[in-house]
């Protein structure tokens, strides 16, 4: 299973445990039956809401750290709009690579803060891909920290935070981009996968 599937499974198990604990409390608590009925209905409603809403979670670009090494499949540059208060963002559709440059076959969307230098490098990488020259990258060139369940739930539940792409802190799991002068190569030509050594006869 992918990381996101583990997240959804974990949330589902957590809700099941909460429901079981609620049932245990209601069985032994000395409350009026109407209060117990309301608690059961509200909890059941949240099961339905969480089930339907978690499916939408699959479509959000994550702010988690990029894979150590990846192949860039596609990108979209959203420039800042000062009048609308949108700081802009760069969306990267990438595929993780192993140590032999073999793709994982599990593409994932990532969102990183906008900067002029990164936008130029991303645009150049897109042109190279269109010309038939695959492009790769490394997480080390993008800074940032490791994402968490809290970060994904937070950006999903609070629309305002989805637009806050002005940077971040490694303790929160959001990207903290290097400055334009510190930004290195970011994207480079992708070497072909290394083949395993042939058995010597």
């Amino acid at each position: 299973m992918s990381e996101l599937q583990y997240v959804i499974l974990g949330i589902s198990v957590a809700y099941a445990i909460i429901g079981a604990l609620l049932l245990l409390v209601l069985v032994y608590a000395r409350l009026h039956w109407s209060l117990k009925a309301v608690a059961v209905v509200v909890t059941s409603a949240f099961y339905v809401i969480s089930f339907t809403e978690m499916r939408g979670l699959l479509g959000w670009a994550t702010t988690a750290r990029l894979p150590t090494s990846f192949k860039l499949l596609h990108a979209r540059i959203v420039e800042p709009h000062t009048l609308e208060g949108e700081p802009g963002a760069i969306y990267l559709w990438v595929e993780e690579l192993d140590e032999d440059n073999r793709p994982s076959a599990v593409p994932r969307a990532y969102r990183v803060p906008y900067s002029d230098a990164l936008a130029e490098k991303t645009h150049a990488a897109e042109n190279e891909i269109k010309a038939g020259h695959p492009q790769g990258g490394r997480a080390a060139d993008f800074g940032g920290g490791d994402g968490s369940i809290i970060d994904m739930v937070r950006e999903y539940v609070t629309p305002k935070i989805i637009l806050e792409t002005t940077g971040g802190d490694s303790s929160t799991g959001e990207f903290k981009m290097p400055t334009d002068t510190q930004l290195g190569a970011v994207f480079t030509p992708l070497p072909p996968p290394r083949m395993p050594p042939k058995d010597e006869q």
Side-chain angles (χ1 to χ4, degrees):
M1 289 193 299
S2 67
E3 179 183 350
L4 189 56
Q5 287 175 319
Y6 278 116
V7 170
I8 293 175
L9 179 61
I11 294 175
S12 301
V13 171
Y15 268 110
I17 293 174
I18 291 173
L21 292 175
L22 174 65
L23 181 61
L24 187 64
V25 169
L26 293 180
V27 168
Y28 293 101
R30 295 181 179 178
L31 298 174
H32 193 270
W33 68 267
S34 59
L35 293 176
K36 293 182 179 181
V38 169
V40 170
V41 170
V42 170
T43 304
S44 301
F46 271 105
Y47 277 122
V48 176
I49 292 172
S50 62
F51 174 75
T52 56
E53 295 300 318
M54 275 193 297
R55 290 185 300 176
L57 182 65
L58 296 170
W60 290 117
T62 181
T63 57
R65 185 178 176 85
L66 283 158
T68 303
S69 178
F70 62 86
K71 177 182 180 180
L72 179 65
L73 303 177
H74 190 63
R76 183 170 188 270
I77 301 170
V78 180
E79 296 187 356
H81 293 283
T82 305
L83 295 178
E84 298 179 8
E86 295 184 10
I90 297 177
Y91 295 88
L92 305 174
W93 188 251
V94 309
E95 190 173 0
E96 185 175 5
L97 299 174
D98 63 15
E99 58 185 11
D100 293 323
N101 289 325
R102 293 192 183 91
S104 65
V106 182
R108 183 82 190 275
Y110 291 82
R111 176 172 56 81
V112 298
Y114 178 91
S115 76
D116 290 335
L118 181 58
E120 290 179 8
K121 292 176 182 293
T122 303
H123 182 66
E126 282 191 292
N127 289 337
E128 289 294 321
I129 292 173
K130 291 176 182 177
H133 308 133
Q135 299 291 296
R138 301 180 309 140
D141 293 330
F142 286 83
D146 294 322
S148 65
I149 294 176
I150 299 298
D151 298 317
M152 287 190 288
V153 172
R154 181 186 60 181
E155 71 168 314
Y156 176 68
V157 172
T158 311
K160 179 181 178 182
I161 295 181
I162 295 174
L163 298 176
E164 291 179 354
T165 55
T166 54
D169 189 300
S170 59
S171 62
T172 63
E174 294 186 1
F175 280 102
K176 186 175 183 180
M177 286 294 296
T179 62
D180 287 1
T181 56
Q182 295 173 329
L183 204 58
V186 183
F187 300 111
T188 57
L190 188 66
R194 288 189 287 270
M195 302 303 293
K198 295 182 179 179
D199 294 333
E200 295 182 2
Q201 299 291 333

